[in-house]
Amino acid sequence: MYEEIIHDLMESGYGCVDNWLSAEQTEHLRKHLLERYHEDAFKRAGIGNKFNLTLADEVRKDTIFWLDRNSMTDTEHFFFDKLSHFIGYLNRTCFTGIADYEFHYAVYEKGAFYKKHVDRFNNDDKRRFSLVYYLTENWKDGDGGELCIYGQNQSIIQPKGGRFVFFESTLEHEVLLSNTQRLSLTGWLKLR
Ligand code: OGA
Ligand code: MN
């Protein structure tokens, strides 16, 4: 699985695999996300980092919840243990020097989107890779919210639950208009 992602990453700037976690684990993350969401723990996402954060309705319309390593469920721990293992492999085989990561859950309600952007901030170039683990249940054609990556070619990725996408944070990308509730766990692998 790691080889497949890394091969695709080298070839086209992004890699994508399905069933990164088991269906039960994915279901658990989805449930936990929704619990937090219904407790009103999510906040409107902005653009920029803590030094220049602004809300921009015309750019993005998702809400997010940052994960805190000190209060995670077993499945969340499993996700990050597996991710750490993958990062170790990536660092050994590709000399990527990933030293840290940060993750948030994201909810796009019907009508939400995130216009074309890059994930690396102007005032902080530590974000090396962007990663999304989709949690939407039963995504189908017409539900929208596809991820569009503008690499050498334009690639459209359907945000199906269980799918794991990994791409260079310098690549332009966009979340197309969502026609239904779209759920994900999204994060960045960072240099020291
Ligand atoms: C982001 C982003 C892509 C996606 O949160 O910066 O581009 O498919 N997400 O959710
Ligand atoms: Mn992005």
Side-chain angles (χ1 to χ4, degrees):
M1 207 183 221
Y2 293 177
E3 280 298 330
E4 190 185 328
I5 300 171
I6 292 169
H7 173 268
D8 292 349
L9 182 73
M10 299 294 170
E11 200 101 308
S12 46
Y14 79 94
C16 176
V17 289
D18 285 333
N19 308 314
W20 174 255
L21 298 187
S22 72
E24 293 72 33
Q25 288 168 326
T26 303
E27 172 66 19
H28 172 92
L29 293 180
R30 175 189 306 124
K31 275 204 177 130
H32 191 65
L33 177 160
L34 288 171
E35 272 167 28
R36 292 292 173 86
Y37 190 59
H38 294 130
E39 285 163 5
D40 272 341
F42 279 56
K43 293 209 162 53
R44 269 297 308 280
I47 49 176
N49 56 13
K50 61 186 171 187
F51 300 109
N52 60 2
L53 185 76
T54 47
L55 282 179
D57 274 353
E58 63 287 356
V59 179
R60 70 185 294 189
K61 281 197 164 187
D62 53 326
T63 53
I64 61 173
F65 176 84
W66 287 99
L67 271 93
D68 171 358
R69 283 171 222 193
N70 299 315
S71 61
M72 295 198 306
T73 65
D74 288 349
T75 311
E76 288 167 343
H77 277 295
F78 183 87
F79 179 89
F80 289 108
D81 288 347
K82 180 159 177 161
L83 185 71
S84 299
H85 192 254
F86 175 62
I87 292 171
Y89 186 85
L90 194 67
N91 281 343
R92 279 194 307 280
T93 55
C94 306
F95 308 102
T96 40
I98 302 302
D100 197 10
Y101 53 75
E102 54 186 359
F103 273 79
H104 62 55
Y105 283 122
V107 175
Y108 289 68
E109 287 296 348
K110 180 178 160 70
F113 54 78
Y114 192 166
K115 295 277 192 226
K116 198 196 257 194
H117 66 283
V118 292
D119 286 343
R120 192 175 273 192
F121 300 120
N122 293 329
N123 60 354
D124 173 3
D125 61 5
K126 290 196 177 57
R127 286 181 171 183
R128 176 81 167 77
F129 297 108
S130 305
L131 199 158
V132 191
Y133 188 57
Y134 295 110
L135 299 172
T136 310
E137 198 171 15
N138 302 324
W139 185 94
K140 56 188 183 318
D141 276 338
D143 283 350
E146 291 92 343
L147 170 65
C148 187
I149 298 180
Y150 301 90
Q152 295 126 346
N153 301 305
Q154 183 174 324
S155 312
I156 302 268
I157 293 150
Q158 301 174 333
K160 294 185 174 172
R163 179 165 281 177
F164 175 94
V165 183
F166 185 71
F167 56 97
E168 304 265 1
S169 294
T170 48
L171 281 186
E172 283 192 308
H173 57 282
E174 168 173 14
V175 178
L176 303 180
L177 182 71
S178 194
N179 301 318
T180 182
Q181 191 184 59
R182 176 199 201 264
L183 312 177
S184 64
L185 175 55
T186 305
W188 295 274
L189 307 190
K190 299 166 73 169
L191 304 173
R192 197 177 300 281

